[in-house]
Amino acid sequence: SVLDAAGATLANVVNMRVCLRDTSDFPAFNEAFREFMQGEKVTRTCFGGVPNRAGINLQIDCVAMFD
């Protein structure tokens, strides 16, 4: 919704940083990520850690480029 509000799409995303609470979730995350990104290529860093809020298992921030 943030991209949409800015008049952008997933094609504008150039980098994502992903924090997984449980790194054993990576295969399932990776499959869902590929489906969600609909073939768009983006650089990505994925690491294990504790997301900022209790009960959250995944945190993603992304950088989008606009012309």
Side-chain angles (χ1 to χ4, degrees), residues 34-52:
R34 286 182 183 161
E35 184 177 320
F36 179 79
M37 291 302 291
Q38 303 169 358
E40 293 295 337
K41 302 291 186 194
V42 60
T43 61
R44 178 182 69 183
T45 301
C46 188
F47 57 93
V50 179
N52 292 333

Side-chain angles (χ1 to χ4, degrees), residues 4-50:
D4 190 47
T9 69
L10 291 175
N12 295 92
V13 174
V14 294
N15 183 268
M16 290 185 149
R17 208 169 27 194
V18 179
C19 177
L20 293 173
R21 183 176 298 273
D22 184 348
T23 56
S24 69
D25 290 337
F26 182 76
F29 161 76
N30 202 40
E31 185 177 326
F33 182 85
R34 286 182 183 161
E35 184 177 320
F36 179 79
M37 291 302 291
Q38 303 169 358
E40 293 295 337
K41 302 291 186 194
V42 60
T43 61
R44 178 182 69 183
T45 301
C46 188
F47 57 93
V50 179

